[in-house]
Amino acid sequence: MKVSVIKDILSANDEIALQNRQLLDKHGICVMNVMASPGGGKTSLILRTIDALRDRVRIAVVEGDIASTVDADRVAKKSVPVVQINTGGQCHLDAPMLRLALAKLPLADLDLVMIENVGNLICPVDFKLGENLNVMIASAPEGDDKPYKYPGIFIAVDAVVINKIDLLPYLRFDMPAFRKLILGMNPDVHIFEVSCETGQGTEDWAEWVAQQIQTKLK
Amino acid sequence: MHELSITQNILNIVNEHAQRAGAQRITIINLVVGELTGFIDDSIQFYFDMLSPGTLSEGAKLAIRRVPARIRCRACSEEFELRDFNWVCPQCSAIGGDVIQGREFLVESIEVE
Ligand SMILES: Nc1nc2c(ncn2[C@@H]2O[C@H](COP(=O)(O)OP(=O)(O)O)[C@@H](O)[C@H]2O)c(=O)[nH]1
Ligand SMILES: [Mg+2]
Ligand SMILES: [Zn+2]
């Protein structure tokens, strides 16, 4: 006998993501999920964003890391609330983990929560957390062929931040072709070229984040 | 790899449906997996073999249907299948467009007895 099921395999996660979202909406908080390869510059971009916006936006950070607290320690130096989630080897954050993290944050006093997802371009894409914004960092040294290899993430994000542009003189990286390809795959995506090392482009990026907080929530 | 928790989800879903249908056991589990998701067949099978014994799913065959990615061109509305990650529209040569298929990840049906 055949039994029709038609049930999304991630529905259990999606339901909790929706609850997270409702909780965050209630507090008027914008949540940004930051994804990249290991070393792409997630922590660096989060630190730059804090520096640029801290005078006008109340920020907290959730650090997803397989084991260490190194990144959380870097963020804590900025004196913003930070919660560390150790995934215990899991390759991505999921909605139940974020729910635990949110319980430790002063939600009434926040405008923006930035989540550093686990360094990985595949797994985080499929797991909703309850975020408003999905952002991926593609650092220039990783090469301009990433969209071919990892299409899933490029089509899923609201913004692609091309990081480490200070290194472009030393790389073979076809920026116009890269931008054209990403825009083809994801016509609504916003693209930023930044260097978290020199700060170039990070103001424009932070301005966009500030705008998103305004338009999404106010 | 996250196929462990994923496979547990699959088992929860199918065992519950089988139980509701009053079945003794599940013989086939039909899954639909889009090409743009990050899920790997062999890995799901591996965890399935590990987790299914002792449940209604023990011995069931996992039938995974992969669905290709389909794109709708924003320039000319042509719908085309994504092959070799070539995002160029075969009709008008514009690059890419909106993804209309390829992100599925679901249990479609089960065969029970
Ligand atoms: N040259 C250069 N190095 C960078 C830039 N952004 C980050 N890095 C370096 O790349 C390494 C990894 O950065 P990090 O932010 O920890 O990456 P994460 O693993 O994605 O969090 C560190 O050594 C950073 O100093 C950049 O724009 N230019
Ligand atoms: Mg980091
Ligand atoms: Zn076309």
Side-chain angles (χ1 to χ4, degrees):
Chain A
M1 181 178 62
K2 188 170 189 137
V3 178
S4 174
V5 179
I6 318 208
K7 179 131 176 124
D8 212 296
I9 293 165
L10 295 173
S11 51
N13 182 72
D14 292 350
E15 277 157 31
I16 296 174
L18 185 66
Q19 291 166 13
N20 287 343
R21 179 62 172 274
Q22 286 164 344
L23 174 68
L24 291 157
D25 283 351
K26 200 178 87 191
H27 289 282
I29 299 172
C30 181
V31 177
M32 178 164 64
N33 179 23
V34 181
M35 297 174 281
S37 311
K42 297 177 293 298
T43 310
S44 305
L45 186 70
I46 286 169
L47 295 174
R48 282 284 180 184
T49 311
I50 294 170
D51 287 341
L53 296 179
R54 65 179 314 146
D55 293 341
R56 50 193 166 125
V57 177
R58 297 168 299 170
I59 302 174
V61 176
V62 173
E63 280 292 337
D65 211 319
I66 288 181
S68 79
T69 62
V70 178
D71 289 348
D73 296 343
R74 280 166 77 191
V75 173
K77 286 212 185 86
K78 298 280 178 192
S79 309
V80 300
V82 52
V83 178
Q84 163 87 30
I85 305 177
N86 280 330
T87 64
Q90 187 165 281
C91 48
H92 62 275
L93 296 180
D94 60 25
M97 290 177 188
L98 182 65
R99 178 163 68 184
L100 291 174
L102 292 178
K104 296 182 189 156
L105 285 173
L107 298 183
D109 305 316
L110 294 175
D111 306 308
L112 173 67
V113 174
M114 288 187 279
I115 304 169
E116 175 168 346
N117 214 313
V118 179
N120 182 330
L121 294 180
I122 299 176
C123 313
V125 183
D126 294 310
F127 291 83
K128 294 188 190 111
L129 305 174
E131 70 278 12
N132 304 89
L133 293 174
N134 283 296
V135 172
M136 111 168 257
I137 304 171
S139 69
E142 295 172 72
D144 54 16
D145 57 358
K146 281 282 168 306
Y148 291 107
K149 294 180 179 163
Y150 305 96
I153 188 165
F154 283 92
I155 61 173
V157 294
D158 302 293
V160 173
V161 177
I162 305 171
N163 187 29
K164 309 196 186 182
I165 57 167
D166 57 296
L167 299 177
L168 284 174
Y170 312 102
L171 304 168
R172 212 177 318 119
F173 189 97
D174 187 339
M175 187 65 82
F178 188 71
R179 294 184 68 111
K180 193 171 164 201
L181 180 61
I182 301 176
L183 281 169
M185 295 167 75
N186 184 347
D188 300 317
V189 78
H190 296 263
I191 302 177
F192 299 91
E193 296 177 25
V194 311
S195 167
C196 291
E197 187 64 27
T198 67
Q200 191 186 344
T202 55
E203 292 290 331
D204 286 350
W205 151 256
E207 218 35 65
W208 179 78
V209 175
Q211 263 174 32
Q212 296 305 306
I213 297 170
Q214 292 303 321
T215 55
K216 292 237 174 190
L217 299 164
K218 299 292 140 50
Chain B
M1 269 310 111
H2 52 252
E3 272 79 359
L4 173 63
S5 59
I6 289 303
T7 309
Q8 189 61 59
N9 286 354
I10 295 172
L11 282 167
N12 293 346
I13 292 170
V14 298
N15 289 341
E16 189 193 315
H17 276 77
Q19 204 163 27
R20 253 193 265 155
Q24 299 298 309
R25 66 187 203 96
I26 303 172
T27 52
I28 302 178
I29 299 171
N30 292 303
L31 304 179
V32 179
V33 182
E35 286 295 353
L36 291 170
T37 67
F39 304 107
I40 299 165
D41 300 2
D42 287 348
S43 174
I44 295 176
Q45 183 71 55
F46 174 82
Y47 288 115
F48 182 79
D49 294 344
M50 190 170 105
L51 296 170
S52 57
T55 76
L56 292 175
S57 299
E58 180 165 357
K61 179 179 179 302
L62 270 188
I64 301 177
R65 180 161 67 85
R66 311 263 336 177
V67 291
R70 284 187 72 78
I71 314 295
R72 185 184 295 118
C73 175
R74 278 210 180 176
C76 75
S77 299
E78 170 81 358
E79 291 180 9
F80 61 98
E81 199 167 295
L82 183 65
R83 287 216 184 84
D84 301 326
F85 297 122
N86 177 5
W87 295 75
V88 179
C89 171
Q91 175 104 346
C92 76
S93 300
I95 298 182
D98 296 305
V99 176
I100 53 174
Q101 179 188 293
R103 296 163 111 168
E104 300 75 3
F105 189 50
L106 47 96
V107 182
E108 194 174 46
S109 63
I110 50 177
E111 293 277 348
V112 299
E113 48 182 49

